[in-house]
Amino acid sequence: METTTTTATYTEATTPNVRGGGQPLLHQKGAETQAFGTLKQLPIGLGHDTRMYACQRLNRVLADTQILYSLYKKHHWLMRGATFYSLHLMLDKHAEAQLAIVDALAERVQSLGGVAVGDPRHVAELTAIPRPPDGVEPVPVMLSRLLDAHERILIDARDAAARISAEGDEGTTDLLVSEVIRTGEAQVWFLAEHLVDTPLVRG
């Protein structure tokens, strides 16, 4: 029985930008359209200096919050011991809340005309949160590390909120207080209560 081999010939599109041609325009390159640390003008009733300062402070909080989110995910994966299940779920829930804050902070920077820090390598250059070991730490140490990260963010966010409020940018102040600070305070409470040394069956 004969086997017939059919060879298909494919011709690369020579005019990929023809309307309706269907060929993606791949491997595009170009210069930055807006550099990090600069502002574009937007008619939102805030001056250049106020918006610039707010973007600088927001990007610092944003970088730290992205690291906090990553710490939550790492520790969520690495939990162990008798409290594994409850902590595994709680840390993931906290991580989801921090990811929502990351998005809110980045969008606020953009709405002020700035450029939000997004690349993890750039985030690592801006964050003030110490890098953890690459491996696994004891569970109480991982929880303490999360508490330390939260405190650093809360201190910075409170200072930023007060200074930005004085500049008249109430939108940024509201974001920092209602989302970063209040969510952080609640998560600190839940984490800290897991570090109380208390007996389970005797008072």
Side-chain angles (χ1 to χ4, degrees), residues 77-105:
W77 297 321
L78 301 182
M79 276 296 113
R80 51 196 56 197
T83 58
F84 166 81
Y85 185 70
S86 60
L87 282 173
H88 180 74
L89 295 180
M90 188 188 78
L91 297 188
D92 203 34
K93 183 177 180 180
H94 283 199
E96 289 178 6
Q98 290 300 322
L99 185 58
I101 292 173
V102 165
D103 199 48
L105 289 168

Side-chain angles (χ1 to χ4, degrees), residues 130-166:
R131 178 174 176 171
D134 292 336
V136 181
E137 296 177 287
V139 170
V141 174
M142 288 191 279
L143 297 181
S144 293
R145 189 175 292 283
L146 289 167
L147 286 169
D148 177 72
H150 269 295
E151 185 172 28
R152 290 171 185 269
I153 291 171
L154 287 167
I155 290 171
D156 191 37
R158 291 183 204 283
D159 180 73
R163 293 174 185 270
I164 291 170
S165 179

Side-chain angles (χ1 to χ4, degrees), residues 174-196:
D174 178 67
L175 171 63
L176 289 168
V177 173
S178 65
E179 298 199 35
V180 177
I181 295 174
R182 288 181 180 163
T183 300
E185 288 174 340
Q187 291 186 344
V188 163
W189 173 38
F190 275 73
L191 287 171
E193 292 300 329
H194 282 82
L195 294 176
V196 174

Side-chain angles (χ1 to χ4, degrees), residues 7-23:
T7 303
T9 302
Y10 297 93
T11 303
E12 184 176 350
T14 56
T15 55
N17 58 347
V18 173
R19 185 182 300 274
Q23 171 61 43

